[in-house]
Amino acid sequence: MKIELPQVGESVTEGVIGRWLKNVGDKIEKYDPLVEVITDKVNMELPSPVRGVLREIIANEGETVQMGGLIADIETNENQENTNHDKLEPDVTDQEIGTTGVLLKNTAPVGPTGSGGPISRDESLSNHDKSPPPKSRYSPAVLRLAEENQIDLAQIVGTGINGRITRKDVISFIEANSTIGGREDSTGPSDQDTQSRKDQEKIALTPVRKMIAANMSKSAALIPQAWSEVAVDVTGMVSKRQDIKESFMNKEGINITYLPFVIKAVAESLKKNPLLNSTWSEEGIILKKNINIGIAVAAPDGLIVPVIHNADFFSIAGLAEIMETLISKAKNGKLSLPEVQGGTFTLNNTGALGSVSSRPLVNHPQAAIMTTEAIIKRPVIKEDAIAIRSMMNICLSFDHRIMDGAEASAFSMSVKKLLENIGSETLIY
Amino acid sequence: MAVITVLEAIREAMREEMRNDDRVFIMGEDIGARGGVFLATEGFLSEFGEERIIDTPLAESSIAGIALGAAMSGLRPIAEIEFADFIWPTINQIVGEAAKVRYGTEGKLNAPMVLRAPQGGGVRGALYHSQSVEAIFAHTPGLKVVTPSTPYDAKGLLKSSIRDDDPVIFLEHKRTYRLVKGEVPDQEYTIPLGKADVKKLGEDISIITYGLMVHHCLEAAQMASLENISVEVLDLRTVRPLDMESIINTVKKTGKTLIVYEDNQALGIGSEVSALISQHAFEYLDAPVIRLGGPEVPAMPFSPPLENMFMIDAEKISTAIKELAEY
């Protein structure tokens, strides 16, 4: 039985084959993890759909496979069983018929001229199946252009015969979608250049690195991004966390960080500034009704962004608990697809790395991304006196097509205000 | 620049080369007093004399054989075959011998000869005055095969052929002789063999063609432009050697290729061009490479309606363009 790469989620069109967890010749139980598959959304283990013996690995590690593409061949006798199950009607024996008889479903009634008899299953099928939908096949030119420009061909409407996507369709699509940044900029030195140089070394691209590279190029190429930075006095938040740290650990068994406070403030501010929670399209700006905040997490293989769905529904304590689970899953590569899909806004705590200011790239197709920077004690003027305060910068990159500085700043100022208002009375449940 | 016919261009090319180089002479049937059956050598006998303008018996094999011997001995003969349909007796001399002279003597000898022949249909010439013979010769390494389409090309290419140090088969389409007029520079020029020429720039479809068909393709391209289909027309000019670079460039540009030729389609020039494209430009193809060539019929029919069916014309090319554009 040929094993295909199954469709694993909306807007995912291809996956990169990671490690094979079974070798050719291995016995496999149904649902045994077969292979790691990396998509631009998530890493997952693909379970075997059948029981049998792995006969052939068709897609090797590192290969990019379209959803539905063949990846392996498993010798199984389940197919046989399936065919038996598929039989329309069980064979009717004389015993079962009895004196009351049965209605034979697969038999045509007597016709006006007395004809009519059993109709074969094949005949009835062929009536439904006269013209199977044409399989989409792309010309070499179309495939090459799509690959070079990282285009999902499913997004293009073909104008060729029978809706075929022509080379011109792809070129028009590229032209319509290119706003800033030439593609030439993204191409690095050629293989030849690199190989002939002795004073440098080439690191092979891991599948995750390739995904990140593709996403970042997309962001830089497609979104005209503007940036702003706001300083936030988080002295209140720092002392609040200090106050509840121990009791929280005792009660909940987890560490309370600043992150849940920030997520809460961001979720509230997104509610008040819906443009920040939207997506650009040529037909109009699409406001997202749910506030799903993606949190950038440094996983061993590279950046991964688990998503807190409906982040505005949760208390600070609730957010702390969700984050604890997501981060640990991210670090172990155990995130499921829903846990990384559907993000509408991204938050990145670059401060954890020591940064005091950073310029993040918007996570396409979202509208904005915010970073929280390192909390540093600084002398600041407060009520005409110099005071030592815990200060934190928040940086915002946003899609300038969707909004202008005014809307972006209104959001940043809202986050700032909410964070600065945190104090001993702030409820965490 | 003077506007002249293809026939006049050929006459000018030969006259200029004969004036420039004493080694050049012409031999063929009726080329002297008659001035050639199409008058390509009209007036040559009186200008150059009987030693350089030689009327031959009706024996094509000896025309080619004597030319080959003269070429190997240091002269530069232009041998005229009255109609390409009668070229077959020369096959032994040309394919069997002339093509192999340089190779067989390890370069000690060469054969700088031109075999000129009017060819092609569309002139109500039927079986023996309509044949296209380029594919037969183009198959043979050691030969060059030239198929001009315009007066400018005919003159520049014929001069290069006469100056070439190896055998050249120069095939002139009869229908272009008086039908095609064009500008030709007053000053001396030549056109290198093996270089194709973009006769019309376009974006959507490439037509690769040569000879008379260039003109039908240009006409069809004009018609297509009214329907917003932009067609590029590449004139091969020389079918051996083929200009790979120009062929691949135009295919890469448009991704859709139509190859048009009057000669029988199967195993013809278009078959080779098509194979080269699929080998060297596969990733640029946006549609199957289409050939539009002569039908699987042994010869040109005598009946005018049937001849029209046989010949490729602008209308047939237009239909092919539309189908390819829609693909």
Side-chain angles (χ1 to χ4, degrees):
Chain A
M1 179 185 187
K2 302 277 187 204
I3 307 299
E4 294 175 352
L5 186 62
Q7 189 67 43
V8 295
E10 95 247 12
S11 82
V12 179
T13 56
E14 60 180 28
V16 175
I17 302 298
R19 205 154 49 88
W20 276 93
L21 306 170
K22 298 284 179 193
N23 296 315
V24 172
D26 283 2
K27 280 193 181 150
I28 297 167
E29 290 297 319
K30 195 170 181 177
Y31 304 126
D32 266 4
L34 203 54
V35 60
E36 288 177 358
V37 177
I38 300 145
T39 70
D40 54 358
K41 295 278 171 65
V42 70
N43 303 355
M44 60 174 189
E45 287 173 358
L46 183 68
S48 173
V50 290
R51 189 186 144 178
V53 175
L54 183 56
R55 199 185 323 171
E56 190 195 350
I57 287 175
I58 295 169
N60 290 310
E61 209 167 311
E63 259 179 53
T64 304
V65 182
Q66 298 291 320
M67 295 297 161
L70 294 182
I71 59 167
D73 191 5
I74 293 178
E75 199 170 333
T76 176
N77 43 23
E78 283 194 19
N79 241 358
Q80 208 93 37
E81 292 162 22
N82 281 343
T83 333
N84 289 338
H85 292 312
D86 281 350
K87 261 194 155 178
L88 274 184
E89 287 288 314
D91 290 332
V92 182
T93 66
D94 287 349
Q95 273 185 335
E96 285 168 318
I97 291 175
T99 49
T100 49
V102 294
L103 187 62
L104 295 172
K105 286 183 184 151
N106 278 350
T107 305
V110 172
T113 55
S115 63
I119 49 165
S120 81
R121 198 180 161 209
D122 280 356
E123 260 177 9
S124 59
L125 263 183
S126 66
N127 287 337
H128 294 289
D129 213 19
K130 252 178 196 155
S131 52
K135 210 177 162 192
S136 34
R137 289 175 66 168
Y138 305 117
S139 74
V142 165
L143 286 175
R144 183 180 55 82
L145 281 171
E147 196 185 316
E148 283 176 5
N149 295 282
Q150 310 249 1
I151 289 167
D152 174 9
L153 288 170
Q155 297 176 41
I156 302 180
V157 179
T159 62
I161 200 158
N162 294 331
R164 192 186 79 93
I165 295 172
T166 66
R167 177 181 145 277
K168 281 181 92 177
D169 293 335
V170 183
I171 290 171
S172 320
F173 183 84
I174 293 166
E175 280 167 1
N177 284 279
S178 66
T179 46
I180 54 158
R183 288 221 63 85
E184 286 78 13
D185 300 348
S186 64
T187 53
S190 73
D191 276 2
Q192 256 182 337
D193 290 346
T194 322
Q195 271 162 13
S196 61
R197 296 278 299 268
K198 291 234 165 76
D199 56 352
Q200 55 191 23
E201 188 191 355
K202 186 158 80 182
I203 300 171
L205 296 175
T206 63
V208 172
R209 199 70 246 154
K210 277 189 195 167
M211 292 291 181
I212 293 172
N215 289 342
M216 293 304 147
S217 304
K218 208 172 181 180
S219 169
L222 299 182
I223 305 177
Q225 312 193 14
W227 179 82
S228 76
E229 182 179 45
V230 170
V232 184
D233 182 342
V234 291
T235 314
M237 179 174 83
V238 170
S239 52
K240 172 73 181 177
R241 173 182 172 251
Q242 196 58 38
D243 289 349
I244 62 167
K245 213 165 123 183
E246 227 180 284
S247 60
F248 196 82
M249 177 58 103
N250 289 339
K251 203 168 160 193
E252 307 292 343
I254 54 172
N255 189 23
I256 180 97
T257 64
Y258 298 120
L259 192 55
F261 292 93
V262 177
I263 298 171
K264 187 77 195 158
V266 167
E268 291 295 315
S269 304
L270 285 176
K271 254 186 177 170
K272 282 183 269 175
N273 299 276
L275 274 182
L276 278 284
N277 202 54
S278 73
T279 280
W280 171 263
S281 84
E282 295 295 334
E283 288 78 39
I285 295 161
I286 298 156
L287 297 180
K288 302 281 184 166
K289 294 272 153 78
N290 296 333
I291 293 177
N292 303 337
I293 302 180
I295 312 290
V297 174
D301 285 347
L303 194 69
I304 187 132
V305 185
V307 175
I308 305 174
H309 291 262
N310 300 310
D312 53 326
F313 291 5
F314 299 102
S315 64
I316 291 169
L319 290 168
E321 230 165 296
I322 291 169
M323 277 319 296
E324 176 79 12
T325 317
L326 288 178
I327 289 172
S328 106
K329 279 189 176 177
K331 298 218 156 138
N332 295 314
K334 297 283 183 212
L335 285 168
S336 68
L337 198 68
E339 285 168 331
V340 290
Q341 274 188 339
T344 58
F345 183 90
T346 300
L347 184 61
N348 189 0
N349 180 25
T350 40
L353 311 169
S355 161
V356 292
S357 179
S358 54
R359 196 174 293 215
L361 287 172
V362 173
N363 192 356
H364 182 271
Q366 296 170 13
I369 181 169
M370 194 188 101
T371 67
T372 51
E373 302 295 331
I375 298 171
I376 291 172
K377 285 193 174 173
R378 291 187 193 282
V380 294
I381 312 288
K382 200 160 167 89
E383 287 158 12
D384 279 350
I386 294 174
I388 294 171
R389 308 290 294 178
S390 292
M391 298 300 293
M392 178 180 84
N393 290 330
I394 56 174
C395 302
L396 183 79
S397 293
F398 58 92
D399 187 336
H400 211 325
R401 293 172 301 180
I402 294 177
M403 70 198 95
D404 301 323
E407 291 85 359
S409 296
F411 168 80
S412 294
M413 292 315 287
S414 161
V415 174
K416 174 184 163 83
K417 204 173 152 199
L418 288 166
L419 290 177
E420 288 185 344
N421 284 345
I422 294 171
S424 51
E425 308 86 51
T426 304
L427 295 174
I428 64 160
Y429 289 101
Chain B
M1 279 197 281
V3 174
I4 59 174
T5 63
V6 169
L7 189 66
E8 285 163 342
I10 285 163
R11 189 185 296 138
E12 277 187 14
M14 290 195 291
R15 186 183 284 129
E16 284 175 23
E17 290 307 296
M18 287 198 65
R19 285 175 182 169
N20 288 343
D21 187 343
D22 288 345
R23 295 173 301 171
V24 180
F25 72 99
I26 306 177
M27 54 191 295
E29 295 158 8
D30 294 328
I31 63 152
R34 171 85 169 84
V37 69
F38 293 101
L39 304 179
T41 50
E42 191 179 31
F44 277 40
L45 183 62
S46 56
E47 181 175 352
F48 301 106
E50 281 184 338
E51 287 203 347
R52 297 182 71 194
I53 302 297
I54 304 171
D55 265 325
T56 66
L58 301 184
E60 284 77 13
S61 175
S62 66
I63 295 173
I66 293 166
L68 172 59
M72 288 166 73
S73 309
L75 297 178
R76 291 191 169 255
I78 303 169
E80 182 181 305
I81 302 298
E82 203 162 47
F83 288 90
D85 310 69
F86 310 133
I87 209 165
W88 307 123
T90 74
I91 290 285
N92 182 40
Q93 307 290 4
I94 301 299
V95 175
E97 301 297 338
K100 295 159 175 63
V101 165
R102 186 185 283 278
Y103 185 78
T105 62
E106 294 181 311
K108 290 188 190 73
L109 292 173
N110 60 315
M113 64 179 286
V114 177
L115 194 70
R116 277 184 53 237
Q119 70 160 3
V123 292
R124 305 286 182 249
L127 278 69
Y128 296 113
H129 292 81
S130 302
Q131 298 174 31
S132 297
V133 302
E134 64 270 26
I136 302 277
F137 292 100
H139 180 65
T140 304
L143 298 179
K144 297 188 179 77
V145 182
V146 183
T147 52
S149 63
T150 66
Y152 175 85
D153 288 357
K155 185 175 179 186
L157 289 166
L158 184 51
K159 286 170 76 96
S160 292
S161 300
I162 295 167
R163 294 178 193 186
D164 198 89
D165 287 333
D166 292 294
V168 177
I169 314 300
F170 198 89
L171 300 170
E172 303 146 14
H173 200 291
K174 291 188 291 286
R175 216 172 135 74
T176 64
Y177 270 165
R178 293 194 181 86
L179 217 60
V180 180
K181 278 192 160 194
E183 287 184 341
V184 170
D186 301 322
Q187 62 273 40
E188 164 89 31
Y189 75 97
T190 58
I191 295 171
L193 305 183
K195 285 274 169 232
D197 181 39
V198 177
K199 287 284 193 281
K200 179 187 173 296
L201 284 168
E203 301 293 331
D204 301 336
I205 288 176
S206 297
I207 296 186
I208 300 176
T209 185
Y210 57 89
L212 170 70
M213 288 301 134
V214 169
H215 302 285
H216 292 329
C217 290
L218 287 169
E219 192 187 336
Q222 197 61 42
M223 286 151 71
S225 70
L226 301 176
E227 296 179 41
N228 282 325
I229 305 169
S230 167
V231 178
E232 180 150 308
V233 178
L234 182 74
D235 179 1
L236 290 172
R237 298 207 286 205
T238 308
V239 297
R240 173 185 272 275
L242 285 169
D243 183 353
M244 273 275 288
E245 197 185 343
S246 299
I247 293 170
I248 300 306
N249 282 347
T250 188
V251 172
K252 282 186 176 177
K253 184 176 171 189
T254 65
K256 291 183 174 182
T257 313
L258 174 66
I259 309 168
V260 179
Y261 52 118
E262 177 185 331
D263 194 7
N264 297 105
Q265 177 174 299
L267 299 155
I269 301 300
S271 313
E272 178 65 16
V273 171
S274 168
L276 289 171
I277 291 169
S278 62
Q279 188 176 348
H280 299 286
F282 178 74
E283 293 184 343
Y284 295 85
L285 294 184
D286 195 32
V289 177
I290 304 294
R291 288 171 302 161
L292 182 61
E296 291 282 270
V297 172
M300 188 67 73
F302 185 68
S303 140
L306 288 181
E307 179 174 28
N308 292 346
M309 266 180 73
F310 189 110
M311 289 294 289
I312 308 291
D313 57 21
E315 204 176 310
K316 288 175 190 165
I317 299 167
S318 285
T319 308
I321 289 174
K322 265 181 237 163
E323 281 173 12
L324 201 50
E326 280 166 14
Y327 183 86

